[in-house]
């Protein structure tokens, strides 16, 4: 009997209140970044804004208003823009890996060549007070916006190399962590898929024993207002 006890499909969820800090281009919002192995989705629950995305297919802006569902695949650089109190439910593949390491911020190229330098530029002082954490979060956001705007300009000018160079740098930065990510995937999405396969096999034989193991799970956020890449996060342990 095989049952997966995590959220459906081994996704994770968080509640996000998007930053309203103005950036150098006058827009308020979060930190541009991409994920290398995870898709991510937004369900808009309040306010309004947009998500700016950049891929090899070009630059795009997608409006975000209550009820909208937007998702994107690995490699999509995304930047949330807060126009009026934008709040989202974020759906994250691979048991929340996007908030647990699978993200590279669009810092200027010179800050992407050394792992230690990148970490110094992007880490938040966890033990510090809220004011210090906010200052660090804004500083890394501003660096990432600087890099994002340069990448966007290059793509719009028809020059693919800066974006390709960013992809190479991102892959190099995360390479030491992929073994840990594989373990998370094996214990999450892969296990969930395997459980479904076993259950289909059982049902094909006319067996329903796994139904007797049904369980109900519920939890409240384990942390409120944590500084994330795009805004303040209410997060769940699942």
């Amino acid at each position: 009997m095989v049952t997966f006890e995590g959220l459906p499909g081994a996704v994770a969820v968080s509640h996000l209140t998007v930053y309203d800090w103005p950036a150098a281009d006058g827009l308020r919002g979060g930190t541009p970044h991409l994920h290398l192995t995870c898709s991510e989705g937004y369900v808009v629950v309040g306010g309004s804004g947009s998500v700016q995305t950049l891929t090899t297919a070009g630059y795009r802006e997608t409006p975000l208003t209550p009820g909208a569902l937007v998702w994107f695949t690995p490699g999509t650089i995304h930047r949330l823009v807060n126009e009026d109190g934008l709040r989202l439910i974020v759906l994250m593949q691979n048991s929340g890996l996007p908030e647990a390491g699978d993200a590279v911020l669009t810092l200027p190229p010179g800050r992407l060549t050394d792992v230690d330098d990148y970490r110094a530029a992007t880490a938040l002082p966890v033990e510090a007070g809220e004011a210090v954490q906010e200052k660090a979060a804004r500083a890394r956001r501003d660096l990432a916006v600087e890099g994002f705007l340069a990448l966007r300009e290059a793509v719009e000018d028809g020059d693919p190399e800066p974006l390709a160079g960013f992809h190479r740098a991102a892959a190099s930065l995360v390479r030491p962590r992929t073994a840990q990510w594989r373990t998370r995937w094996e214990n999450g999405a892969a296990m969930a898929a395997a459980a479904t396969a076993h259950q289909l096999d059982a049902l094909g034989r006319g067996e329903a024993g796994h139904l007797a193991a049904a369980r109900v799970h519920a939890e409240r956020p384990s942390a409120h207002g944590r500084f994330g890449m795009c805004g303040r996060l209410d997060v769940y342990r699942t």
Side-chain angles (χ1 to χ4, degrees):
M1 185 184 306
V2 179
T3 300
F4 179 71
E5 298 288 344
L7 283 168
V11 301
V13 299
S14 62
H15 178 265
L16 173 67
T17 301
V18 180
Y19 292 134
D20 62 0
W21 308 327
D25 61 354
L27 299 179
R28 297 177 295 145
T31 307
H33 62 280
L34 60 65
H35 305 296
L36 290 94
T37 64
C38 295
S39 292
E40 187 172 81
Y42 301 144
V43 181
V44 184
V45 295
S48 62
S50 64
V51 57
Q52 299 181 340
T53 54
L54 188 65
T55 68
T56 57
Y59 172 76
R60 177 177 174 179
E61 293 187 30
T62 302
L64 298 176
T65 54
L69 171 63
V70 178
W71 71 97
F72 39 84
T73 57
T76 303
I77 298 174
H78 48 289
R79 176 196 186 190
L80 281 169
V81 176
N82 185 355
E83 295 173 359
D84 182 19
L86 183 60
R87 295 185 296 110
L88 314 170
I89 297 298
V90 183
L91 309 174
M92 295 170 285
Q93 193 178 7
N94 294 320
S95 307
L97 185 56
E99 283 287 348
D102 181 18
V104 173
L105 280 55
T106 56
L107 303 190
R111 307 303 298 269
L112 299 170
T113 58
D114 180 81
V115 173
D116 291 336
D117 183 51
Y118 174 81
R119 289 177 179 171
T122 58
L124 300 184
V126 179
E127 302 300 326
E130 183 166 307
V132 175
Q133 290 188 45
E134 177 176 329
K135 182 178 180 180
R138 292 186 71 155
R140 73 176 183 181
R141 190 283 308 268
D142 291 343
L143 267 179
V145 168
E146 178 185 341
F148 172 77
L149 294 177
L151 290 172
R152 173 183 168 183
E153 181 178 4
V155 169
E156 292 181 327
D157 287 345
D159 181 4
E161 177 51 33
L163 182 57
F166 174 70
H167 289 166
R168 292 191 296 269
S172 179
L173 285 170
V174 305
R175 184 180 179 184
R177 307 183 69 183
T178 55
Q180 297 174 356
W181 297 0
R182 180 174 294 275
T183 298
R184 180 184 286 255
W185 167 75
E186 289 172 343
N187 293 332
M191 184 180 292
T196 299
H198 284 288
Q199 292 161 7
L200 289 172
D201 290 343
L203 291 171
R205 296 188 299 268
E207 301 170 2
H210 67 281
L211 301 181
R215 300 288 185 271
V216 177
H217 300 275
E219 63 180 73
R220 302 288 298 176
S222 59
H224 293 272
R226 193 179 74 187
F227 286 97
M229 289 176 287
C230 297
R232 303 296 295 266
L233 292 166
D234 295 342
V235 299
Y236 298 83
R237 295 188 186 281
T238 301

